[in-house]
Amino acid sequence: MQRKSLIYKTNVEYGDYTMNHVQGCSHGCKYPCYAFLLAKRFKKVKDYEGWLEPIIVENTLSLLDKELPKYKDKINILHLCFTTDPFMFGYDEIKKLSLQIIGKVNDSGIKCSILTKGILPKELIKYSKENEYGITLISLNEDYRKKAEPGASSYMERLDSLRTLHKAGCKTWVSIEPYPTPNIIEQDLQEILDAVSFTDKIIFGRTNYNKDISSYKEHKHFYNEQVHIVIDYCKAKKIDYHIKNGTLTDSN
């Protein structure tokens, strides 16, 4: 597929500018996935099965050549990606294109932020040390991962790739979102935090658009407790953090 433009200002609270050079995502997250719901609503994809078949924007690099000079003085950081995955697990062609994109963006003097449920490639070590590389990690339980993120890489593979970049001096971060309530899975947030204690920043957020969450009567109290656990942990470890809007409802 081709597009007329790629780079745009995002409304995501911790984002700046972003781009999505792939439509769809084979990870098939069943939280449910907001990106899929949005694509279906605007008739960009017919159904879940269609969403699982990613389509590359084939004129990505030529569009970047046109748009990067235009946005160069406006962008603080360019994020890949909010509606797809730049290192989709098992798709070497997407990985190759994403690396080319990062190279072009860095050559323009712009740093990148990356978020994936795939494996961060070691090649990223050679790119700008101003880039920020992140993984999504909402559990350490592989049975839950297979249920919630059936097409994504294993949690340990993600962690290992993130740790490799961190040891090489890269900036790293972790998104613990959408974090599930105990009626979905019983787990200890402290264990997840300990697993990512080496990272530079942690983003934490609740699960949305899920009937199981709203039917759990204590969900507000639960998320308030988890937020305080994250904040206390990050302060003690001197890790930067961001709590997503709507996750904390306790004014204290």
Side-chain angles (χ1 to χ4, degrees), residues 10 14-20 75 77-84 111-116 132 173:
T10 178
Y14 61 87
D16 182 33
Y17 280 79
T18 189
M19 60 173 285
N20 300 290
I75 300 174
I77 188 166
L78 184 66
H79 183 76
L80 280 67
C81 304
F82 281 125
T83 67
T84 188
K111 60 183 178 180
C112 291
S113 171
I114 307 297
L115 182 63
T116 186
E132 301 173 5
W173 61 290

Side-chain angles (χ1 to χ4, degrees), residues 1 3 20-28 33 35-36 39 44-45 48 50-56 83-86 88 94:
M1 64 178 296
R3 287 187 178 149
N20 300 290
H21 51 290
V22 181
Q23 179 174 288
C25 181
S26 64
H27 293 161
C33 172
F36 163 63
K44 292 183 178 180
V45 64
Y48 177 76
W51 179 255
L52 296 181
E53 299 178 2
I55 304 173
I56 287 178
T83 67
T84 188
D85 196 302
M88 204 174 297
I94 294 176

Side-chain angles (χ1 to χ4, degrees), residues 20-70:
N20 300 290
H21 51 290
V22 181
Q23 179 174 288
C25 181
S26 64
H27 293 161
C29 299
K30 298 181 178 180
Y31 311 129
C33 172
Y34 179 70
F36 163 63
L37 295 177
L38 204 62
K40 187 177 180 182
R41 176 184 176 187
F42 289 101
K43 298 181 180 180
K44 292 183 178 180
V45 64
K46 290 183 179 180
D47 51 29
Y48 177 76
E49 288 70 27
W51 179 255
L52 296 181
E53 299 178 2
I55 304 173
I56 287 178
V57 178
E58 60 184 1
N59 62 332
T60 290
L61 298 179
S62 60
L63 279 176
L64 281 181
D65 288 337
K66 295 178 181 178
E67 294 185 340
L68 284 173
K70 174 183 175 182

